[in-house]
Amino acid sequence: MGVSFLGLQETRLSLINLFLLKSAWGNFSFDFALSSARGLSGGIISVWDPVVFTKKIITSSENTLIVEGVWNFFNFPCFMVTIYAPQDEGRKKLLWDYLSRFMDKNEGAYILFGDFNAVRWSHERLGCVFNQRIVAGFNDFIMNTGSLELQMGGFSFTRVSANGAKLSKLERVLISPEVGSRFPNISSVVLDLSISYHPPIFVSQQVQDFGPRPFKIFNYWMLDDGFDQIVESSWVSDQSSTDDGAFIKFKNKLKSLKKMLRNWWNLKKENRSSRKVALSLRLHELDLIIDEGGVSDSVIKERNEVRCSLFL
């Protein structure tokens, strides 16, 4: 099952580029909202599938983008709040006050997620300054709004410095009790750090099986060696009975072609990805070492080398 709602922070965009959004989303079947960047920093974008989620009202500020709407499949009204909190302590307090007032004034179910730029406990920072006042203010906000934090699987930290020496849990997901009651199996997981030093967090209700995926042919397959030969080989090998009509023969040819192309591409993908898989596994192992506090010069050096090799 694909992503139905996507929140992006620190976009540094003041205007929307639809083709850029399409490349991030995967197709043009989306709706979106934008909180523009101020100067060279900030910027929040929320993107969603309009079939799954229908927006009603959008409320934006410098550090929040609130989309009020309905999850159509569940007929569940909800506020989706994408957050990019400031680093300044005073501006953080203003943000918590703003969100508290908004939630008091607009009763309903809330899902708050993004970069809160704050930790809740001392063990959520390693190699960084721990500010007790910021921690207290953030925990007070969570308590006063009655929010619940989703426990996250995957990695313990969501921000790793370039050299791997500083680790923090800055991103998280908060939900109101109404969300937890309606979706008791809701969960979140921190994905790998191989792409960004702020890894994405995936939130889901439960795993659902919608049957086999439809077969697709991508244009770039046709540029690969062996594609033409597979098509020609499949097309000339006619397994249909002489008693079959023209339509049945054509259907069988397509079925055979689909099977041969799928097998061919799976083999190609397996051969091509062996190096990438090995690098990804090693990067994952190094991230786990760092995540558990095992930071050393050799680990940091190897991690940087592996990460560079992965994207060559």
Side-chain angles (χ1 to χ4, degrees):
M1 188 174 182
V3 174
S4 299
F5 198 105
L6 175 67
L8 302 172
Q9 304 90 41
E10 187 65 5
T11 64
R12 302 184 182 181
L13 296 176
S14 56
L15 296 173
I16 282 291
N17 183 319
L18 290 179
F19 286 94
L20 183 63
L21 281 185
K22 184 261 181 184
S23 65
W25 185 253
N27 55 58
F28 277 112
S29 180
F30 63 81
D31 198 356
F32 67 91
L34 167 70
S35 174
S36 300
R38 274 63 171 178
L40 298 178
S41 64
I44 304 172
I45 296 176
S46 294
V47 189
W48 60 89
D49 184 342
V51 175
V52 180
F53 182 85
T54 300
K55 78 171 185 294
K56 292 175 61 180
I57 300 174
I58 296 171
T59 306
S60 67
S61 68
E62 182 176 357
N63 299 110
T64 63
L65 184 56
I66 305 173
V67 183
E68 179 185 359
V70 178
W71 288 97
N72 298 321
F73 295 164
F74 306 101
N75 191 26
F76 185 69
C78 186
F79 292 86
M80 302 295 293
V81 185
T82 308
I83 294 172
Y84 182 64
Q87 294 186 5
D88 179 75
E89 181 180 349
R91 292 177 61 204
K92 274 194 184 74
K93 185 179 185 307
L94 292 176
L95 174 60
W96 307 147
D97 291 343
Y98 166 75
L99 284 171
S100 296
R101 291 194 303 270
F102 185 94
M103 295 172 72
D104 283 340
K105 184 178 179 181
N106 301 272
E107 294 185 358
Y110 281 82
I111 299 179
L112 304 94
F113 57 95
D115 185 349
F116 290 84
N117 243 318
V119 300
R120 299 192 63 190
W121 321 107
S122 59
H123 66 263
E124 293 181 347
R125 276 196 184 278
L126 290 179
C128 308
V129 176
F130 180 75
N131 189 318
Q132 185 62 51
R133 291 191 307 274
I134 292 179
V135 170
F138 186 35
N139 283 326
D140 286 345
F141 159 72
I142 294 175
M143 182 180 65
N144 293 337
T145 57
S147 299
L148 308 171
E149 181 178 356
L150 280 187
Q151 295 301 310
M152 296 191 297
F155 291 89
S156 303
F157 299 96
T158 65
R159 171 68 173 96
V160 179
S161 63
N163 62 7
K166 298 180 179 180
L167 303 93
S168 303
K169 181 181 178 181
L170 303 180
E171 283 84 2
R172 63 190 74 232
V173 181
L174 305 177
I175 62 172
S176 64
E178 296 87 347
V179 175
S181 298
R182 184 65 180 274
F183 305 107
N185 295 323
I186 190 170
S187 62
S188 63
V189 61
V190 182
L191 304 183
D192 281 354
L193 300 168
S194 58
I195 296 177
S196 170
Y197 293 114
H198 286 271
I201 298 174
F202 185 73
V203 180
S204 63
Q205 155 62 8
Q206 61 184 7
V207 178
Q208 299 183 13
D209 184 4
F210 293 94
R213 295 181 179 179
F215 179 74
K216 297 179 181 179
I217 293 180
F218 298 94
N219 290 339
Y220 66 89
W221 288 13
M222 303 177 190
L223 304 177
D224 208 300
D225 294 338
F227 180 86
D228 292 343
Q229 291 85 344
I230 289 292
V231 174
E232 182 179 352
S233 173
S234 170
W235 212 251
V236 297
S237 59
D238 190 353
Q239 303 296 326
S240 301
S241 168
T242 55
D243 296 330
D244 292 336
F247 179 79
I248 298 298
K249 287 185 177 182
F250 182 68
K251 175 185 174 183
N252 289 336
K253 280 180 176 289
L254 290 178
K255 184 177 180 180
S256 175
L257 176 61
K258 180 179 74 171
K259 181 178 180 180
M260 293 184 68
L261 280 175
R262 178 179 283 129
N263 292 337
W264 166 76
W265 185 250
N266 285 338
L267 182 60
K268 277 274 188 182
K269 196 163 56 172
E270 182 180 343
N271 292 336
R272 286 182 170 183
S273 64
S274 57
R275 176 177 176 272
K276 184 176 181 180
V277 168
L279 289 171
S280 297
L281 288 174
R282 182 54 184 162
L283 182 59
H284 183 76
E285 292 172 354
L286 293 170
D287 284 338
L288 287 176
I289 293 174
I290 294 174
D291 192 62
E292 295 170 357
V295 182
S296 66
D297 291 341
S298 60
V299 170
I300 293 172
K301 179 181 179 182
E302 183 181 359
R303 184 184 186 277
N304 290 334
E305 291 174 349
V306 171
R307 194 169 186 274
C308 290
S309 301
L310 186 61
F311 297 104
L312 286 179

